[in-house]
Amino acid sequence: MLHLKKTAGLALAVALLAGTSAIAQQRTLVFNTDTSDPAPRAAFDQLIADFEAENPDIDVVVNMFDHEGYKTAIRNFLTADAPDLANWYAGNRMAPFVNAGQFMDVSDVWESAGFDDTLASARASMTIDDKQWGVPYTYYQWGIYYNKDVYAQVGAEVPTNWDEFVANCELFKAAGIDCLTTGTSALWPAAGIFDYMNLRTNGYEFHMALTAGEVEWTDQRVRDTFAQWARIVEPGYMTANHAAIDWQDAAALLVQGRAANYVMGNFAVATFMDGGMTADNLGFMPFPEITPGIPRAEDAPTDTVHIPTGATNVADAKLFLAFLGRADVQTKLNAALGQLPVNNQSTVGDDQYLSAGFEMLSNAYALAQFFDRDAPAEMAKIGMEGFQEFMVRPEYLEDILQRLEAARVRIYQ
Amino acid sequence: MSVTQSQSKPQSWWRRNQQALTPWLFLAPGIFMFSVYVVWPIFESFRLSFFDWDGLGTKEYIGTQNYSELWGDRNFIISLKNNVIWLVLYMLAVPAGLFIALFLNQTVAGIRMYKSLFFFPFVISQVVVGLMFSWFYAPNFGLLFKLTEWLTGTGIAVLADPDLVTYGVIAAGLWPQIAYCMILYLTGLNNVSADQVEAARLDGAKGIKMLWYVILPQLRPATFIAVVVTVIGALRSFDLISIMTNGGPFGSSRVLSYYMYEQALSEYGFRMGYGAAIAVVLFGIMMFFIAGFIWKMVRDEKGGY
Amino acid sequence: MFPRPIAQRSRNARILYQVALPISLILWLLPLLGVALTSVRPSSDLAAGNYFGMPSHIAFSNYYDVFANSPIAQYILNSFKVTIPTVIGAVALSCMAGFALGVYKFRGNLIIFFLFVAGNFVPFQILMVPVRDLTLSLGVYNTTTGLALFHIAFQTGFCTLFMRNFIRALPRELIEAARVEGVAEWRIFWYIVVPLMRPAIAALSVLVFTFIWNDYFWATVLTTGASTQPVTAGLYSLNGQWVAAWHLVSAGSIIAALPPVAMFFLMQKHFIAGLTFGAVK
């Protein structure tokens, strides 16, 4: 853990002032965060500087963890050495900590700051037992990114529904190009594809019921989803050997024109651009319709900040949460992050992908959190392995569904 | 060991007893650390396996439920199967090491350098070995992929194929293991009695017959150690699976040591009790071999080698 | 000696052998050579698809990049912070324990000895959860100290086995003579036995250094984050960040592997003596 004394200069100034004048008591706020990558880190530095500027008597101490290490570290520091604030995720991802009593109920902050209205789109995913357990500050869209040059090369049109998408795949295959690419060695990209196949085939309510363990995996409707998915898996329209490559390797395929489409989150845009794609040849489209008439729901994983139950400076932590949920704060933070603000009063920058995303999410019927946050951890792991296996050997579908069903029965008792 | 009687001066209690007490004093720190970090945790893991615990909240006693669940757990069966494959194939390291040792057992110029370089793979971390082989097997540009593409037309991505992946990882593990066995045999060969070899040569023995009847019996201590470390290495394999496949694709390369870690401590694993049960099973399997080894060592001790 | 010395064979056999040696070495070290080559390959080559040809130029800048843009220097420092104390601690404890078990006859001697031996073979996973909890409650979780403490305790098993066997082979007369003189036991240990154990201490130090430097499992379990992780666990997380940047992964791997390799080449004799002790009757 690195202790970065934030705004040491400001603290020194205050201390000097305190020396010369009377009281000026400095209160500290300890913030554990995993925003270790350069862009999020800069964004958070600015956020904290702004908070301290508005609240000169509060000093924020940041403990920076690396992104992956944080996921194990949090399981310890919530009990062993609890900070006042901690980053985490919404939905079922926060459930283990909520159920163990390690996150603090912050429904009072939601009420007093009016978040029930302004953060409405994410409210459901922050609620367990009718109480709110943290404040969301950003989310990002998922959809299909495609290579416009490749589309032009084979003479394909942007599809308006799944049938057209599959028809295009034949064109791509004939030209030796992967219609849909993905890299599943880390498993989660496969879940993105499943989420959309299911949301489009059966709708949001069914998908939520499935991830909540209320529907059997052997149900006909689940089979329908896989049947639609099989339409691009069985003829070999997907990248071979995806199980041995990472999502960035697959991104390289899209950049090089060896693949046409990629179901991914908006964070991938930076990688595509780095590889040489431009706003002219990188296209974005919402996942096409499969079953006509189903209202369009989207995956929008949400990042959050929570107060651990073991926090010492609770009052100021709540102040920070109220600050974090504000429209102007979220506008500024997300402009730096390159993602979307949760607050519906915030504004979005003019990056074309962000605007498209914001439009899509604001008009979405509902927002899902992504499979590994909507389903409990163990089910998520088993599910994702099943999706990966289906994409490698679709003939094993029956076996996969039986297995997922057996897991569901055991996990959701 | 005789205790020489001291002179007529009366001895302090310490002086009288120091020979009896000293060993215990010298042993104390070692035994203390070892008990705290090795002996006690084994019992504690056994105890934990009877609980349901997510590592965060309270522990809930559930008796042998973890074990009965294990029995029907498909992933457990796959891991067990993979462990058996590891054990069987890893034993190839012993004859392979012998073969290379025999190949290098000459006194040409620079042979010492060759021996050192052949031993190289053992000195580097398994993480680095795993990364090297991941690169070797990588789809689209890995050496092996290109080779199979050149030979058969379609490249084979070993780590993406559920049927081949375990063998691919075992191959990576064999590389340092063979080096280890090789060095054991090289040392053993150095100490083979030259007289016996000469006598056998005069008798007309050569080649395989010489190897089997004269050399190998003298290499028994080396073979014993080679087998021990190879068995332990096969059952312990964790690093390579973690770095090369994470147990994938969809669990095909999982082994018990990795499955345990996944269940207890990984991103989606919050089941400490279940993980402890898996560890107990792995421990049981290894105890079977450890007991065998210890028994043999005890016999050697008692028999004065 | 066996096989028949090559000098005694035909000239053809000799030539064949001299040719076979370097070829077999290259084949054996092929993965290593490939990675070493990739580590000096410029990233532009990789982007252009030139994976196996001659690099367009030797890009030592890859190594510079690795050091400048990643915490690998910190990882290496952490590895030293874990390894050096472990070597000192394990060797010290095992010298003492080996002395006790090797020189003195007492009830329980063999049992304790075999306890150390058996403990050395147990799978790490059976220790994982309790050791992690213990380290947490001692307050040394995510510190190099916590990791070193565990390693010292665990390596004591293997090291005691080694030292005890070594001491048993030492000539007893010196000890006996000292006892007759009335020398205190601890003096016997410090002034007589320890100097005789120098080769064993050297061998063991080199071995333990290599084992601990290369340890990955406990580094992952007991440490998180760049400020405390040794280079093995660090390489795992860097590998996650440097996807498709094989030139960086290769350079990082080479850097991580260097200290034990250097140790090996400098102290070969001791290294091999340590590993093969007991392989010879």
Side-chain angles (χ1 to χ4, degrees):
Chain A
M1 295 193 305
L2 276 171
H3 282 269
L4 294 168
K5 206 85 170 70
K6 295 312 297 166
T7 62
L10 187 59
L12 186 59
V14 170
L16 282 175
L17 228 73
T20 51
S21 74
I23 344 98
Q25 202 194 356
Q26 199 68 358
R27 305 194 302 274
T28 32
L29 210 49
V30 180
F31 190 170
N32 282 11
T33 180
D34 65 337
T35 51
S36 58
D37 296 325
R41 190 170 180 161
F44 262 77
D45 281 352
Q46 186 60 48
L47 172 77
I48 286 168
D50 291 342
F51 178 74
E52 286 179 331
E54 274 189 30
N55 300 279
D57 47 349
I58 303 180
D59 187 27
V60 180
V61 173
V62 173
N63 293 328
M64 179 67 64
F65 290 77
D66 107 273
H67 195 62
E68 285 303 312
Y70 189 75
K71 293 174 185 166
T72 29
I74 191 172
R75 294 160 95 174
N76 306 316
F77 70 60
L78 284 181
T79 36
D81 192 11
D84 299 309
L85 293 162
N87 276 106
W88 198 234
Y89 311 107
N92 242 314
R93 216 61 200 279
M94 69 178 187
F97 300 122
V98 170
N99 295 330
Q102 289 179 343
F103 279 159
M104 193 175 280
D105 174 12
V106 291
S107 315
D108 51 347
V109 179
W110 278 69
E111 245 196 84
S112 58
F115 291 156
D116 292 332
D117 298 315
T118 49
L119 303 181
S121 56
R123 190 169 186 278
S125 52
M126 297 306 299
T127 306
I128 296 181
D129 277 344
D130 276 333
K131 307 191 198 57
Q132 285 71 47
W133 299 91
V135 170
Y137 61 90
T138 185
Y139 54 13
Y140 52 91
Q141 81 262 30
W142 271 66
I144 297 188
Y145 292 88
Y146 63 97
N147 188 326
K148 291 184 184 169
D149 292 339
V150 168
Y151 266 69
Q153 185 189 329
V154 305
E157 298 279 323
V158 174
T160 54
N161 61 39
W162 189 238
D163 290 329
E164 288 177 22
F165 187 90
V166 177
N168 281 346
C169 283
E170 268 198 60
L171 293 174
F172 290 121
K173 173 109 184 167
I177 296 172
D178 296 330
C179 182
L180 188 65
T181 187
T182 189
T184 61
S185 80
L187 289 181
W188 55 265
I193 304 179
F194 172 77
D195 273 359
Y196 272 107
M197 297 301 310
N198 201 30
L199 283 172
R200 293 289 184 266
T201 306
N202 294 310
Y204 176 77
E205 282 80 10
F206 180 78
H207 187 68
M208 285 297 116
L210 184 64
T211 50
E214 293 159 16
V215 178
E216 292 168 14
W217 283 86
T218 43
D219 189 295
Q220 184 53 43
R221 290 166 290 178
V222 178
R223 292 177 195 278
D224 291 340
T225 303
F226 279 97
Q228 294 291 356
W229 199 354
R231 290 172 68 188
I232 53 166
V233 171
E234 275 165 8
Y237 295 147
M238 295 195 63
T239 303
N241 301 324
H242 55 78
I245 56 178
D246 276 301
W247 76 264
Q248 292 100 326
D249 295 317
L253 292 177
L254 188 74
V255 168
Q256 292 165 15
R258 290 164 57 182
N261 302 289
Y262 199 172
V263 175
M264 245 304 144
N266 201 52
F267 54 83
V269 171
T271 309
F272 297 139
M273 297 297 191
D274 270 348
M277 290 188 94
T278 62
D280 290 323
N281 66 0
L282 178 64
F284 172 77
M285 61 168 143
F287 199 94
E289 184 184 61
I290 300 182
T291 307
I294 300 245
R296 206 168 40 80
E298 307 289 342
D299 255 347
T302 308
D303 293 343
T304 54
V305 176
H306 305 258
I307 304 181
T309 342
T312 36
N313 190 348
V314 178
D316 288 333
K318 291 193 174 175
L319 260 180
F320 187 88
L321 287 189
F323 175 78
L324 185 65
R326 262 175 30 198
D328 56 330
V329 172
Q330 292 212 350
T331 302
K332 190 169 181 189
L333 179 60
N334 282 285
L337 284 174
Q339 293 183 177
L340 296 171
V342 182
N343 192 314
N344 53 27
Q345 305 297 310
S346 301
T347 51
V348 174
D350 8 279
D351 169 273
Q352 78 182 69
Y353 306 104
L354 278 182
S355 313
F358 191 60
E359 162 102 32
M360 186 178 82
L361 292 184
S362 310
N363 295 325
Y365 171 72
L367 299 178
Q369 281 301 297
F370 201 81
F371 191 77
D372 71 351
R373 300 183 194 184
D374 286 322
E378 217 192 323
M379 188 71 226
K381 180 87 192 270
I382 297 178
M384 293 194 293
E385 283 181 351
F387 305 148
Q388 187 191 42
E389 186 174 354
F390 174 72
M391 290 200 286
V392 173
R393 34 192 209 192
E395 63 273 16
Y396 276 65
L397 176 63
E398 192 53 43
D399 186 53
I400 294 172
L401 289 178
Q402 295 292 347
R403 225 185 304 143
L404 289 175
E405 175 54 23
R408 180 192 76 91
V409 167
R410 184 174 52 81
I411 294 170
Y412 290 92
Q413 331 135 327
Chain B
M1 205 159 50
S2 64
V3 177
T4 320
Q5 288 301 330
S6 68
Q7 326 309 351
S8 52
K9 270 188 293 197
Q11 287 202 304
S12 68
W13 174 86
W14 168 244
R15 282 208 142 235
R16 265 180 287 126
N17 288 307
Q18 75 174 305
Q19 270 202 41
L21 286 174
T22 308
W24 293 105
L25 288 172
F26 273 79
L27 271 175
I31 290 189
F32 175 70
M33 290 292 277
F34 204 69
S35 311
V36 166
Y37 274 100
V38 180
V39 179
W40 171 79
I42 295 178
F43 290 105
E44 178 68 7
S45 279
F46 264 90
R47 195 182 73 93
L48 265 179
S49 68
F50 296 115
F51 286 81
D52 178 29
W53 186 39
D54 67 352
L56 302 167
T58 49
K59 300 183 172 81
E60 192 197 310
Y61 182 74
I62 52 168
T64 54
Q65 219 180 300
N66 281 331
Y67 291 98
S68 37
E69 191 189 324
L70 261 186
W71 197 240
D73 183 351
R74 191 175 168 279
N75 290 325
F76 175 72
I77 306 292
I78 294 182
S79 307
L80 203 54
K81 189 187 73 140
N82 281 334
N83 269 114
V84 171
I85 298 179
W86 268 85
L87 202 52
V88 168
L89 286 182
Y90 233 46
M91 294 314 296
L92 286 176
V94 179
L98 177 63
F99 178 71
I100 300 185
L102 289 172
F103 177 63
L104 292 180
N105 195 30
Q106 298 290 349
T107 44
V108 296
I111 197 71
R112 259 202 62 186
M113 192 198 70
Y114 277 102
K115 288 179 183 175
S116 306
L117 287 175
F118 262 89
F119 185 58
F120 210 79
F122 183 73
V123 182
I124 45 189
S125 167
Q126 292 232 322
V127 174
V128 176
V129 172
L131 285 175
M132 287 183 186
F133 273 82
S134 293
W135 175 84
F136 193 62
Y137 292 141
N140 302 321
F141 60 82
L143 255 179
L144 189 73
F145 188 85
K146 288 262 171 205
L147 203 67
T148 48
E149 202 175 37
W150 181 65
L151 284 175
T152 65
T154 32
I156 299 180
V158 173
L159 297 182
D161 186 327
D163 299 317
L164 292 180
V165 63
T166 300
Y167 300 107
V169 182
I170 292 178
L174 275 175
W175 194 47
Q177 194 65 26
I178 294 177
Y180 192 1
C181 293
M182 176 200 83
I183 213 74
L184 287 171
Y185 276 123
L186 272 177
T187 314
L189 281 172
N190 271 343
N191 292 282
V192 162
S193 143
D195 303 325
Q196 282 198 36
V197 173
E198 277 314 305
R201 279 230 175 85
L202 288 174
D203 277 347
K206 58 184 194 159
I208 301 289
K209 277 216 169 65
M210 170 81 99
L211 179 66
W212 190 259
Y213 289 108
V214 180
I215 310 290
L216 276 182
Q218 292 188 56
L219 289 177
R220 255 204 215 110
T223 306
F224 178 65
I225 301 220
V227 169
V228 171
V229 296
T230 303
V231 166
I232 303 292
L235 291 174
R236 259 206 188 147
S237 56
F238 173 89
D239 301 12
L240 287 176
I241 287 135
S242 171
I243 199 92
M244 289 175 82
T245 62
N246 278 318
F250 42 88
S252 315
S253 64
R254 219 178 242 140
V255 288
L256 288 176
S257 54
Y258 190 73
Y259 190 40
M260 186 267 169
Y261 173 80
E262 263 188 308
Q263 287 294 311
L265 262 196
S266 72
E267 196 176 338
Y268 301 104
F270 286 85
R271 303 183 67 193
M272 298 267 182
Y274 195 63
I278 300 173
V280 168
V281 172
L282 181 61
F283 181 70
I285 296 175
M286 287 188 92
M287 267 325 281
F288 172 70
F289 288 98
I290 295 173
F293 296 140
I294 301 273
W295 185 57
K296 172 144 192 332
M297 287 174 80
V298 169
R299 269 190 358 193
D300 285 347
E301 282 285 316
K302 292 241 161 81
Y305 298 143
Chain C
M1 61 178 262
F2 183 83
R4 189 178 295 276
I6 207 78
Q8 295 177 11
R9 299 268 209 130
S10 69
R11 191 164 164 276
N12 284 342
R14 276 208 301 282
I15 294 179
L16 196 62
Y17 187 70
Q18 293 281 26
V19 165
L21 268 181
I23 292 181
S24 57
L25 184 67
I26 291 178
L27 281 178
W28 181 247
L29 292 184
L30 202 57
L32 185 62
L33 293 172
V35 167
L37 195 62
T38 310
S39 72
V40 291
R41 191 181 289 280
S43 57
S44 47
D45 271 15
L46 291 177
N50 175 15
Y51 292 105
F52 301 116
M54 287 307 291
S56 46
H57 61 271
I58 304 285
F60 284 115
S61 59
N62 289 342
Y63 284 90
Y64 176 74
D65 275 339
V66 167
F67 270 106
N69 298 328
S70 78
I72 205 164
Q74 179 69 37
Y75 289 138
I76 293 180
L77 183 65
N78 293 334
S79 281
F80 276 112
K81 279 163 80 169
V82 173
T83 313
I84 308 272
T86 303
V87 169
I88 297 174
V91 170
L93 284 184
S94 60
C95 276
M96 295 186 352
F99 176 69
L101 290 173
V103 166
Y104 299 88
K105 265 194 178 42
F106 55 91
R107 278 182 52 162
N109 183 319
L110 265 188
I111 296 179
I112 295 183
F113 174 62
F114 282 117
L115 198 67
F116 278 118
V117 173
N120 181 48
F121 291 142
V122 299
F124 288 149
Q125 285 70 29
I126 194 80
L127 309 176
M128 186 180 98
V129 175
V131 168
R132 181 175 169 275
D133 288 344
L134 176 69
T135 309
L136 269 170
S137 30
L138 286 178
V140 286
Y141 180 79
N142 200 29
T143 60
T144 49
T145 317
L147 196 49
L149 277 177
F150 170 76
H151 281 307
I152 291 175
F154 189 80
Q155 292 300 323
T156 304
F158 168 72
C159 296
T160 304
L161 158 67
F162 191 90
M163 286 304 194
R164 179 261 198 190
N165 284 348
F166 188 85
I167 288 175
R168 285 254 290 211
L170 289 179
R172 280 313 171 72
E173 304 79 54
L174 290 167
I175 301 177
E176 293 297 326
R179 283 221 180 98
V180 169
E181 299 288 321
V183 180
E185 295 297 308
W186 73 268
R187 287 194 124 91
I188 295 180
F189 172 71
W190 188 251
Y191 290 108
I192 299 180
V193 178
V194 169
L196 286 176
M197 277 160 62
R198 273 208 209 103
I201 293 179
L204 212 51
S205 304
V206 172
L207 268 188
V208 173
F209 181 90
T210 306
F211 290 158
I212 304 306
W213 184 277
N214 289 341
D215 163 71
Y216 167 71
F217 180 76
W218 289 104
T220 335
V221 171
L222 294 180
T223 56
T224 58
S227 56
T228 49
Q229 281 196 322
V231 74
T232 42
L235 205 55
Y236 179 76
S237 69
L238 286 176
N239 184 42
Q241 288 177 35
W242 288 334
V243 180
W246 286 103
H247 55 297
L248 292 178
V249 174
S250 311
S253 304
I254 302 273
I255 293 174
L258 276 180
V261 167
M263 179 70 74
F264 168 64
F265 277 110
L266 290 174
M267 316 272 275
Q268 251 177 81
K269 224 172 30 129
H270 297 297
F271 198 97
I272 294 178
L275 272 183
T276 57
F277 187 82
V280 180
K281 206 207 82 42

